[in-house]
Amino acid sequence: MTEPEKIIKYIQSVVYTTAMELSASPLYLLTLLVPCILITGCTGNFILSHNPSSPIITITPVNNSPVVFNESDNGKIYAIPQDTEFWINLTETLATNEPWQVTFSPGLELMDSQYFANPSMPRFDIDGTHRWIFKAKEPGMQIFRGETGWYGKDDPRSQYNISFNVIEKSD
């Protein structure tokens, strides 16, 4: 059994034991854990490493799966390999007529941009998610910036900035 499999098995046993001790079903516990994982941001199948003396967080995708960034990654710098596919998901309310206005470095290739309605909202245009799908094409520092007036121009949540140090692929 590999080290990641051992860790997953251990976590599963702890979650199951805790759920039984709390007389909660594993499904109930799962509904608590999934939002926590999503809220912390930067999800996906990847290896994350961080040197405390550097503000740059290194991400190594596993099995070519995309890495997902969200509001919790605002202001962060990530080192990612060239040709990595990644998603940026930001909350957007179309009803306010203040969608995200984004700019990004030419070294980031925009592959797709979509709005997903929130099924728990009474209308499709409230609290949805806008997803931009990119590929890190050019080595060097690349930047994604977004602005919205949804929160009000002076609110820090109206600005979103994330930087990527794209590491050249070695053949």
Side-chain angles (χ1 to χ4, degrees):
M1 186 180 293
T2 66
E3 192 63 30
E5 289 171 328
K6 288 178 186 176
I7 293 169
I8 290 170
K9 190 153 191 81
Y10 172 75
I11 292 171
Q12 287 172 334
S13 69
V14 169
V15 168
Y16 182 79
T17 304
T18 305
M20 293 305 111
E21 288 174 0
L22 296 174
S23 299
S25 73
L27 182 59
Y28 174 75
L29 197 53
L30 185 63
T31 60
L32 294 175
L33 290 176
V34 169
C36 292
I37 292 168
L38 293 176
I39 288 170
T40 60
C42 192
T43 60
N45 196 4
F46 61 90
I47 298 170
L48 182 70
S49 59
H50 181 63
N51 177 350
S53 64
S54 172
I56 300 175
I57 302 166
T58 302
I59 294 179
T60 306
V62 176
N63 298 327
N64 293 323
S65 65
V67 180
V68 182
F69 301 96
N70 63 27
E71 282 91 347
S72 68
D73 298 300
N74 192 8
K76 294 182 181 172
I77 304 170
Y78 290 95
I80 58 175
Q82 187 177 11
D83 292 329
T84 297
E85 182 180 317
F86 63 92
W87 301 355
I88 298 177
N89 291 341
L90 298 177
T91 303
E92 185 172 72
T93 295
L94 298 177
T96 63
N97 201 25
E98 294 282 351
W100 284 99
Q101 302 297 318
V102 301
T103 58
F104 48 90
S105 302
L108 301 178
E109 179 185 338
L110 179 63
M111 298 168 56
D112 199 5
S113 173
Q114 303 173 8
Y115 175 82
F116 297 93
N118 183 340
S120 66
M121 289 291 146
R123 293 176 24 184
F124 78 93
D125 57 352
I126 299 173
D127 272 350
T129 299
H130 197 122
R131 174 180 295 157
W132 293 269
I133 300 175
F134 285 97
K135 186 173 275 194
K137 293 302 284 181
E138 298 296 324
M141 193 60 74
Q142 308 297 334
I143 299 170
F144 173 94
R145 289 189 178 101
E147 290 186 12
T148 182
W150 179 30
Y151 299 106
K153 295 292 182 192
D154 296 329
D155 192 307
R157 295 175 296 174
S158 292
Q159 303 286 321
Y160 184 85
N161 297 294
I162 187 168
S163 300
F164 302 96
N165 184 17
V166 179
I167 308 303
E168 188 168 10
K169 206 182 342 183
S170 58
D171 294 323

